[in-house]
């Protein structure tokens, strides 16, 4: 019997096909992006950039047309005063929109909270400070109901808040009997209700405490949304709630918390509204819901959720303020303001759709 051949073959059959193959390390496609693609990626990573650019260009345009009359310190701070209420309500709207929802009841919650503050003080004789707390509580309660219906019963946010808008609006008129509490009475007996309307000067610039509240609120929410785990959860819920749930996020609890916080912020806006107009009126701020959505959309916050910056919302509110005051100083028909803002809304949504293709 012959000895088996124990010599190892110099190579395996399947190795022969590798002789002339490439020896380069595998890599991703690294072809250079076009300038348009680079812009698209930049805007996707910096959602507040578009409204900031539009704001700067609008300031330059109106400044060139109106000159020093527009670029005075008084005019610039007047714009801030005019958008303070929208900015605060817009912050509440931003939180909801980031979760891919929408809140049509923000304006009604704001007004009802202000009416509760006034009525509790003058109808029931409660201390003004306690009445303010009650008003804040009413706003938070309305938000909690919205959040519970959306999160626990899985009802569409649009339908829930549309219904809440009607309920709160009717409750507001029924409870107040359509009665306005005069500014003179508030000033004499409950000046704390007008606190956010008080102002201070820095040179020729006039700031109200309502403007300060708006700036501090936005700064705080920016930090929370960008630097805390809770903020990352907000974006995660808006981007993909199912993935967020699998990652351990309590999606239902987050939604209830976000809507409750939104209601509380609306109540804060109601307090600031009293300071802005001086009186407590059940008919004030009826367009706050539309104005807040306008600021959010023009500010580059995606209505599909999960993308956007609260700074963009402020830029959006300021754009509306600049256009409104600039066109008024030019003596144009106020309808031009609505026309241009309408165009900006459509363009903003179109740009958002284009930017979203990066993540598609």
């Amino acid at each position: 019997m012959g000895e088996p051949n124990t010599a190892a073959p110099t190579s395996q059959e399947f190795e022969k096909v590798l002789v002339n193959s490439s020896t380069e390390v595998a890599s991703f496609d690294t072809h250079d992006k076009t300038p348009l693609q680079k812009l698209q990626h930049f805007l996707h990573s910096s959602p507040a950039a578009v409204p900031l650019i539009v704001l700067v260009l609008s300031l330059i345009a109106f400044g060139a047309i109106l000159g020093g009359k527009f670029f005075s310190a008084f005019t610039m701070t007047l714009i801030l005063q005019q958008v303070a209420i929208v900015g605060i309500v817009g912050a509440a709207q931003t939180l909801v929109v980031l979760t891919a929802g929408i809140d049509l009841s923000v304006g009604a919650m704001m007004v009802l909270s202000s009416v509760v503050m006034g009525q509790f003080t003058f109808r029931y004789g409660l201390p003004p400070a306690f009445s303010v707390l009650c008003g804040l509580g009413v706003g938070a309660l309305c938000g909690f109901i919205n959040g519970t219906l959306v999160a626990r019963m899985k009802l569409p946010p649009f339908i829930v808040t549309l219904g809440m808008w009607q309920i709160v609006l009717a409750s507001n008129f029924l409870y107040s009997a359509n009665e306005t509490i005069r500014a003179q009475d508030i000033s004499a007996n409950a000046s704390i209700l007008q606190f956010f309307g008080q102002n201070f000067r820095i040179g020729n610039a006039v700031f109200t405490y309502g403007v300060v509240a708006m700036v501090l609120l936005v700064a705080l929410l920016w930090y929370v949304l960008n630097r805390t785990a809770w903020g990352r959860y907000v974006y995660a819920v808006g981007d993909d709630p199912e993935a967020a749930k699998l990652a351990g996020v309590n999606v239902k609890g987050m939604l209830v918390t976000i809507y409750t916080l939104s209601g509380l912020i609306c109540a804060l806006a109601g307090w600031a509204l009293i300071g802005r107009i001086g009186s407590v009126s059940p008919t004030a701020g009826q367009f706050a819901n539309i104005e807040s959505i306008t600021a959010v959309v023009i500010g580059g916050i995606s209505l599909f959720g999960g993308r956007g910056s609260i700074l963009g919302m402020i830029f959006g509110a300021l754009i509306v303020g600049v256009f409104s005051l600039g066109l008024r100083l030019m003596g144009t028909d106020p309808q031009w303001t609505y026309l241009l803002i309408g165009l900006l809304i459509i363009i903003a949504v179109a740009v958002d759709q284009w930017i979203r293709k990066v993540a598609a």
Side-chain angles (χ1 to χ4, degrees), residues 238-249:
D239 188 48
D240 191 336
E242 291 301 321
K245 185 177 180 180
L246 292 173
V249 178

Side-chain angles (χ1 to χ4, degrees), residues 112-319:
L112 178 62
S113 298
S114 70
V115 166
V116 166
M117 293 176 191
Q119 293 292 336
F120 275 33
T121 299
F122 289 92
R123 183 187 296 184
Y124 306 129
L126 296 174
F130 181 73
S131 298
V132 168
L133 292 177
C134 292
L136 294 174
V138 166
L141 177 62
C142 292
F144 175 79
I145 294 171
N146 280 339
T148 300
L149 293 174
V150 170
R152 308 292 181 188
M153 299 188 66
K154 298 187 181 300
L155 299 178
F158 181 88
I159 300 301
V160 169
T161 58
L162 178 63
M164 182 61 75
W165 175 29
Q166 298 294 329
I167 293 169
V168 172
L169 199 62
S171 300
N172 169 39
F173 286 116
L174 290 171
Y175 176 64
S176 66
N178 207 16
E179 172 190 347
T180 297
I181 301 174
R182 299 184 308 166
Q184 300 92 317
D185 296 332
I186 296 174
S187 179
N189 301 296
S191 59
I192 190 175
L193 296 182
Q194 297 176 332
F195 170 74
F196 287 113
Q198 299 175 20
N199 59 59
F200 59 94
R201 288 180 174 270
I202 300 178
N204 292 326
V206 182
F207 296 92
T208 65
Y209 288 109
V211 171
V212 175
M214 177 190 71
V215 172
L216 292 178
L217 174 65
V218 170
L220 175 63
L221 288 177
W222 179 88
Y223 176 82
V224 170
L225 289 171
N226 290 276
R227 295 291 186 268
T228 69
W230 189 87
R232 289 190 289 273
Y233 293 163
V234 172
Y235 282 97
V237 169
D239 188 48
D240 191 336
E242 291 301 321
K245 185 177 180 180
L246 292 173
V249 178
N250 182 357
V251 174
K252 292 182 179 180
M254 282 295 299
L255 287 173
V256 173
T257 302
I258 289 166
Y259 278 88
T260 303
L261 180 58
S262 174
L264 180 62
I265 294 173
C266 289
L268 175 65
W271 187 7
L273 178 66
I274 299 175
R276 174 67 181 160
I277 65 177
S279 60
V280 174
S281 173
T283 60
Q286 291 189 2
F287 298 104
N289 53 349
I290 302 300
E291 291 170 343
S292 67
I293 295 171
T294 300
V296 165
V297 172
I298 294 178
I301 297 173
S302 176
L303 292 176
F304 300 97
R307 196 186 72 83
S309 170
I310 195 167
L311 295 180
M313 180 279 299
I314 282 295
F315 297 150
L318 288 172
I319 289 169

Side-chain angles (χ1 to χ4, degrees), residues 7-28:
T10 56
S11 64
Q12 301 290 337
E13 283 295 324
F14 63 82
E15 291 180 340
K16 292 179 180 179
V17 298
L18 302 176
V19 174
N20 296 319
S21 62
S22 173
T23 58
E24 292 182 4
V25 177
S27 61
F28 294 102

